[in-house]
Amino acid sequence: MLHPADYPILLFVDILNPYKGTLPMANRGSTKSFTNAVSEWTEKAIRDATDIARAGAKEFVAEYQDATPKVSGNLANSTHVAASPADLIKGTPDQKYADPTAANNAVIDAMELGDKVYVAQVAAYSGKAEFGYVGSDGTPVAGHFQGLTTAAKWKGMVRRLAKLRGRKVK
């Protein structure tokens, strides 16, 4: 079971409508055509928002892994995405992780608007890599703050992706 102290940072992406649009003008004189136009616009807006959020989540995970210090690549490979924090199980100290990209993308691709996705590095030493620690000889070792740095970029990632799709963003 996930305990907040077990992970340096538990990031979650709350999939909301990342842009505001305007309703299209319908043909005059026809309530049915107006209703159809609004319905089509709504479906497209939801589809676009979902696509933007999914692309943003994938970019977020890739950025998080890229920002992670690379000694063996194991810490970056411990970056897991889950639909529930209970699915993020802390690893053992010597556990080796395979490339999680396919599994992470499968979770992200299953997201819908309103869903939350949880991202964490589950390696046992991920907290030390994030925040630093004092070595056995008393020497402080600085953290890399890869999770916090990446989390600060989330809003900008979604805005950039929305603008690429021609969407207005606040």
Side-chain angles (χ1 to χ4, degrees), residues 5-67:
D6 289 339
Y7 295 95
I9 186 163
L10 178 64
L11 309 165
F12 74 91
V13 179
D14 194 356
I15 306 305
L16 300 174
N17 189 345
Y19 65 89
K20 300 239 183 229
T22 56
L23 287 174
M25 292 300 292
N27 296 333
R28 294 179 182 214
S30 171
T31 303
K32 186 174 182 177
S33 64
F34 176 75
T35 302
N36 289 341
V38 170
S39 178
E40 288 173 14
W41 177 86
T42 302
E43 289 171 11
K44 184 180 183 320
I46 290 170
R47 202 170 41 250
D48 282 353
T50 302
D51 290 346
I52 290 166
R54 286 176 180 161
K58 287 177 183 177
E59 185 175 314
F60 178 89
V61 171
E63 177 78 23
Y64 189 17
Q65 289 177 306
D66 288 345

Side-chain angles (χ1 to χ4, degrees), residues 73-80 89-92 94-100 121-125:
N74 198 49
L75 181 58
N77 283 344
S78 81
T79 304
H80 288 194
I89 308 299
K90 185 175 180 179
T92 60
D94 57 350
Q95 185 171 347
K96 301 295 181 213
Y97 297 92
D99 183 1
Q121 290 181 331
V122 297
Y125 53 91

